Amino acid sequence: MSTLASSPARPASQDAVLAFAWDSSEFTATDALQSTGLTRSTTIEATDALVARGLLRELPNARLAGDYRKGRPARRFALRDDAAVVIGVDAGHEHVSVAVADLRGKQIADADARLVMDRDDAAARAAVVSDTIDRALAAAGLSRSDVLAVCAGVPAPVDRTGRSPRHPTRFWERMNPDLVDVLSWAPVVRIENDASLAAVAEGSVGAAVGCRDYIALLAGSRLGAGVVVDGHLLRGSHGGVGEMVAFDHVDGVHGAEGLGSRASDLARELVRSGKATAGLRGVALEALDARTVLGMAAQGDADARRIVDRVGLTLARIVSVLGSMFDPERVVVSGAIADGVDEVVAAARRSLPTDLDLPAPELVASTLGGEVVVIGAVAAAVASARERVLDVWGAAD
């Protein structure tokens, strides 16, 4: 969502030329008019207005650049991708990651912070988010005044106004401490569910590029789903599309616990039972995290492989239910867990039911790793910046 009101009146030609420039490297007025369908005079007028607003820069002409042969050299232009910056934030359960990027989404600087799980309140979390943003800006040699748009992802449903509904334990309110207000110093503010931003990332640069119907399944410590249908990211009345509480009632899943948590819990349970073989017994309980268990499975440890098969069966059931609800072409397992989840995905593929009414979706692992949410947040911030920049900077006279 954006903090801005509706757009002021301005020539639509400025929006058209700016959209063309954002998707181009350098261009001439002829290039722009051929793409936009505007007249030459209208194109030149809009281009000059955008230069005056600081959104486009005029490049040296072909003669000065050494490319001129004969005739009058055409004026050349390019987006000023350094005219402002955008910020992407992954405000997770246990961490905050911030990336500062230019208007094309190229990262300039970043900063991170760790949180103690379930030991922070809303105010403290908001302060950590703000401090991490300021540190990232300082690393880039910038300040808040250089920012055009901020997008933050949180592990909670988020409605169209950027706020989260009340949760029985106030978990959602703590995960999203009214960040739309905390970040209101930025001209454009967008708050989204973290799995939704994972879906944005997968569709922009990840495993769902070119796909119009897919789900990004954040599957680390908790499950969350970003759902894209017919090319549109779904939200719902309260932002609850993709919330996984329904899996409390699904046999073999029983809750929204993530794949990583399930793998580590099963490994610790096996060790405590005394039934583990030498491989798992040789690892301290506190060190039996998901990465360790999945790594051991990849190396052929028998106990770890059985755990992977059990987690894969759970994933297959999750994918089957999501497939029947949303009919996606693809489900992408995303998040930090995806770095070592290939064995689980393979086990899930083997366990997918063959008697579903709809074809089972393709199941793949993400290649974006633990940065998927912040990558999606930057992409979403760029999209919001494109949409609202002329509202922020005003239309040229």
Side-chain angles (χ1 to χ4, degrees):
M1 58 82 60
S2 170
T3 57
L4 294 173
S6 59
S7 304
R10 64 171 171 271
S13 57
Q14 293 181 29
D15 297 87
V17 172
L18 182 59
F20 172 76
W22 219 299
D23 292 328
S24 307
S25 51
E26 61 181 60
F27 64 95
T28 65
T30 299
D31 297 328
L33 69 88
Q34 289 176 344
S35 175
T36 61
L38 301 170
T39 65
R40 175 170 293 277
S41 61
T42 300
T43 301
I44 292 172
E45 182 179 297
T47 302
D48 287 340
L50 294 171
V51 170
R53 284 296 171 190
L55 285 166
L56 300 183
R57 62 164 52 93
E58 185 167 0
L59 304 174
N61 65 42
R63 180 183 287 114
L64 294 177
D67 296 330
Y68 168 68
R69 292 194 175 129
K70 64 180 181 178
R72 182 179 178 182
R75 296 170 68 194
R76 299 181 304 139
F77 305 90
L79 177 74
R80 277 196 58 204
D81 47 25
D82 60 350
V85 295
V86 301
I87 293 177
V89 182
D90 175 9
H93 195 177
E94 301 176 72
H95 69 276
V96 175
S97 298
V98 173
V100 180
D102 67 19
L103 291 181
R104 293 191 191 273
K106 181 180 178 181
Q107 186 169 318
I108 300 168
D110 57 40
D112 298 281
R114 301 299 302 177
L115 297 166
V116 179
M117 185 183 293
D118 296 328
R119 293 188 184 176
D120 64 325
D121 57 22
R125 174 172 287 266
V128 171
V129 170
S130 294
D131 175 70
T132 310
I133 288 173
D134 288 337
R135 287 193 290 108
L137 285 169
L142 302 169
S143 67
R144 291 183 178 186
S145 63
D146 298 301
V147 177
L148 174 58
V150 179
C151 178
V154 297
V158 180
D159 67 17
R160 293 172 181 82
T161 70
R163 304 186 190 278
S164 297
R166 183 177 179 84
H167 187 269
T169 67
R170 301 194 66 81
F171 175 76
W172 290 340
E173 298 98 306
R174 184 160 56 85
M175 293 298 101
N176 179 17
D178 289 327
L179 288 179
V180 68
D181 297 327
V182 173
L183 303 176
S184 61
W185 50 265
V188 180
V189 181
R190 180 173 174 177
I191 312 299
E192 296 284 358
N193 170 261
D194 54 1
S196 293
L197 292 180
V200 171
E202 299 295 352
S204 299
V205 295
V209 171
C211 186
R212 291 181 56 80
D213 301 281
Y214 66 92
I215 293 173
L217 184 66
L218 272 183
S221 60
R222 298 282 294 175
L223 293 173
V227 181
V228 175
V229 175
D230 294 332
H232 299 289
L233 184 67
L234 302 188
R235 182 189 301 277
S237 178
H238 304 95
V241 171
E243 282 299 311
M244 310 295 275
V245 292
F247 285 98
D248 291 346
H249 310 288
V250 176
D251 288 342
V253 181
H254 299 299
E257 185 182 17
L259 303 183
S261 295
R262 291 172 193 268
S264 59
D265 287 348
L266 286 171
R268 290 167 185 163
E269 181 181 308
L270 187 61
V271 171
R272 290 190 185 102
S273 72
K275 298 178 182 179
T277 58
L280 288 180
R281 281 207 313 266
V283 182
L285 279 178
E286 61 273 14
L288 277 176
D289 57 12
R291 187 176 298 275
T292 299
V293 176
L294 296 177
M296 293 175 68
Q299 293 170 11
D301 181 85
D303 284 340
R305 291 194 67 84
R306 281 191 287 272
I307 289 170
V308 161
D309 286 342
R310 288 184 61 183
V311 176
L313 178 58
T314 298
L315 176 58
R317 288 173 173 163
I318 293 167
V319 171
S320 298
V321 172
L322 292 175
S324 68
M325 292 172 64
F326 297 108
D327 190 21
E329 174 187 343
R330 190 172 303 159
V331 174
V332 184
V333 180
S334 299
I337 188 69
D339 288 337
V341 81
D342 288 341
E343 298 285 336
V344 174
V345 169
R349 290 193 191 108
R350 293 191 298 269
S351 300
L352 279 172
T354 58
D355 57 350
L356 298 173
D357 291 333
L358 294 170
E362 178 187 12
L363 179 60
V364 300
S366 173
T367 61
L368 301 181
E371 298 300 307
V372 64
V373 174
V374 80
I375 291 170
V378 168
V382 169
S384 294
R386 288 184 62 154
E387 179 184 356
R388 303 309 302 268
V389 63
L390 289 177
D391 300 340
V392 174
W393 288 1
D397 296 332

